Amino acid sequence: MKRYRVKAHLESPVVVRRERQSQRSEGVQFIAGTLLRGALAQAYLQYYGHADATFRQLFLDEEVCRFGPLDPADRVFPLTANSCKRVPGFSEDGKHGITDLLTVSLKKRLSQRTVAQQRCRNCGQELKSHSGFWHLKANSTPTEPKRRWRRSMAAHVGIDRPTQTAAESIFFTLPALEPEPTTDGEASLHGWVDAEQDALQALKQLLSQEDHILRIGHARTRGYGRVRVTIGEEVPLAPVDFSGWSKGILSRTAPELSPDRYFLFTVSLPTGAVLVDDLLRYTLDPAGMVPWLPPLPPPVADTRTFDTPGKEFEGGRLWCVTAVAHHERLRGWNAAHGLPRQDEWLVTRGSVYAYLYEGNSTGQAALHEKLRDLEANGIGARRNEGFGRVAVCDDFHLRFAPTEAI
Ligand SMILES: [Zn+2]
């Protein structure tokens, strides 16, 4: 499968039932891949009348086609991202900058030294976690999308079906994303699909048959959810230099650990993941589905990595140093049966896991190969709804690590 950009333009408000129970969430900020896939599947059935072999490939076979979420920008802040409590945001327009605290937490686990609490570099105020979406401008400086869409509540009176009049005592509100008129005419969301060549052609054909207009989200019969969707160019692969990344992080967090002998890496989940353990219980631990990964460390703040047993890997030893991950509830709709499906637990978007390997170059090379596989295949359930994408050694942690001595 190759990855292609998807662009979506809201032509009417989209109602997205609130499914997130995250404490950090300010409300619905994006359209889940589940809804994009559902809208395309519905358009397919309306056009062709039945679920044939192509339908099953496009919407049920996750080795042929996967649909990512539609986001206000193409990058998600990791859960380790923090910013000033008073003036949060990237260092632009007088904001106080973003600080990533992964290196601080690595330092606590890997070294015996005490680590001072981080505060805002500009004003000394406390830091607080910073969530949402960002992207790089043409000049490679980071920025957050200007608020190009409103989040609003649409209020409705329930309709009494037999009499076609307003039903008594039924009044409800729906959270909606509304397009906001902007000077440059842009109110776009950014997404992606992973697809085999045939699947890509079938999707493009379907979209052109629909004049690129899909009905996305809930309350579609009430006039909501008209979205113009186009599939664009291929997203080029940009492989990260794992060893270089590890060297950079180790020099800031544990310079006594030689890069010849130690390899540090992160596994990030930018779209969230549905992870279960070997007894099919929901878990925050990727080791439940990736047998060669070591388990998460005990949830005790002062656990030192080298006091935990780790796990044998290719003649060396692999530890999970730290993890910043939360669960949130995920409601779903079973596309195949048209029925609500049981709630699931999603590992939140932006969750990060850091691991350390001690071993020789052969072991490190074997590990790199496993990590490339993980990036290519993703992890966990419901990958064709965009969940379970894996990013290894995210540049964010190096770029926004605190610069002062820690
Ligand atoms: Zn500040």
Side-chain angles (χ1 to χ4, degrees):
M1 282 188 289
K2 286 181 176 161
R3 180 159 299 160
Y4 303 88
R5 285 186 215 290
V6 172
K7 222 167 196 192
H9 181 91
L10 305 190
E11 303 218 325
S12 70
V14 174
V15 173
V16 182
R17 224 175 260 156
R18 197 187 159 101
E19 336 192 275
R20 295 159 62 86
Q21 289 205 323
S22 160
Q23 305 89 321
R24 295 154 22 102
S25 170
E26 303 85 19
V28 177
Q29 295 188 73
F30 62 93
I31 295 171
T34 312
L35 294 181
L36 175 62
R37 169 175 166 265
L40 282 160
Q42 195 187 34
Y44 191 100
L45 291 178
Q46 274 173 1
Y47 193 85
Y48 296 103
H50 64 287
D52 55 12
T54 306
F55 178 92
R56 286 190 293 276
Q57 283 210 315
L58 290 180
F59 304 113
L60 302 171
D61 184 345
E62 64 184 19
E63 300 309 321
V64 174
C65 204
R66 299 179 185 179
F67 303 89
L70 298 173
D71 295 333
D74 62 359
R75 295 168 195 238
V76 181
F77 282 107
L79 295 186
T80 47
N82 275 253
S83 191
C84 176
K85 188 176 151 183
R86 274 185 41 228
V87 197
F90 288 114
S91 306
E92 54 176 354
D93 310 328
K95 293 175 201 152
H96 287 186
I98 298 287
T99 302
D100 186 75
L101 295 185
L102 180 73
T103 44
V104 176
S105 130
L106 290 174
K107 190 150 189 157
K108 279 185 192 160
R109 304 270 182 165
L110 291 175
S111 80
Q112 302 293 325
R113 280 156 290 174
T114 52
V115 181
Q117 205 203 339
Q118 295 292 310
R119 306 190 79 92
C120 175
R121 266 168 300 181
N122 271 283
C123 69
Q125 283 281 333
E126 279 171 48
L127 297 178
K128 79 180 206 331
S129 66
H130 192 82
S131 62
F133 300 87
W134 66 286
H135 64 102
L136 288 174
K137 290 192 280 199
N139 64 2
S140 290
T141 57
T143 188
E144 287 176 89
K146 305 280 174 279
R147 176 73 63 81
R148 283 202 171 122
W149 49 347
R150 284 196 291 272
R151 293 193 290 269
S152 63
M153 298 296 277
H156 287 281
V157 176
I159 300 294
D160 182 54
R161 297 279 170 206
T163 61
Q164 291 292 304
T165 55
E168 273 182 68
S169 329
I170 302 178
F171 181 78
F172 58 99
T173 58
L174 298 164
L177 295 172
E178 248 183 89
E180 220 170 349
T182 54
T183 46
D184 59 2
E186 277 282 309
S188 295
L189 297 177
H190 307 262
W192 50 269
V193 291
D194 284 347
E196 294 291 348
Q197 195 57 37
D198 289 355
L200 178 74
Q201 290 318 320
L203 283 177
K204 282 185 161 174
Q205 195 184 336
L206 176 62
L207 281 170
S208 85
Q209 281 151 1
E210 301 293 319
D211 290 327
H212 293 272
I213 297 292
L214 292 179
R215 290 281 185 171
I216 296 186
H218 305 283
R220 292 189 295 264
T221 55
R222 294 167 188 272
Y224 289 107
R226 267 174 68 87
V227 181
R228 179 177 298 278
V229 175
T230 48
I231 299 178
E233 75 280 13
E234 189 183 331
V235 182
L237 290 173
V240 175
D241 168 14
F242 294 159
S243 301
W245 188 94
S246 166
K247 225 178 215 178
I249 292 279
L250 282 175
S251 71
R252 287 159 184 271
T253 55
E256 66 278 12
L257 302 180
S258 155
D260 297 335
R261 189 77 193 139
Y262 291 90
F263 168 57
L264 197 133
F265 62 94
T266 51
V267 168
S268 311
L269 303 173
T271 58
V274 180
L275 304 180
V276 293
D277 66 12
D278 50 1
L279 297 173
L280 301 180
R281 295 169 303 194
Y282 293 105
T283 175
L284 285 173
D285 192 345
M289 304 200 105
V290 184
W292 52 269
L293 278 175
L296 299 188
V300 182
D302 57 357
T303 307
R304 305 282 177 184
T305 299
F306 293 116
D307 295 340
T308 61
K311 193 180 172 98
E312 196 275 335
F313 180 89
E314 297 285 329
R317 193 144 284 274
L318 190 54
W319 292 269
C320 180
V321 182
T322 186
V324 186
H326 307 302
H327 261 148
E328 64 191 59
R329 192 155 61 149
L330 179 69
R331 294 211 178 89
W333 194 260
N334 187 317
H337 301 112
L339 294 169
R341 79 172 140 201
Q342 204 183 330
D343 287 351
E344 297 205 85
W345 288 95
L346 176 74
V347 182
T348 307
R349 301 187 69 175
S351 291
V352 184
Y353 305 84
Y355 299 90
L356 180 72
Y357 179 62
E358 180 186 12
N360 60 21
S361 57
T362 316
Q364 295 196 18
L367 192 50
H368 290 189
E369 200 172 314
K370 293 269 193 210
L371 292 171
R372 300 276 177 219
D373 282 353
L374 212 51
E375 278 190 319
N377 296 317
I379 179 176
R382 296 173 67 171
R383 275 178 277 179
N384 54 354
E385 295 163 52
F387 299 117
R389 229 180 104 175
V390 168
V392 177
C393 297
D394 183 356
D395 169 61
F396 190 93
H397 305 299
L398 266 178
R399 186 194 274 258
F400 298 106
T403 45
E404 61 269 44
I406 52 172

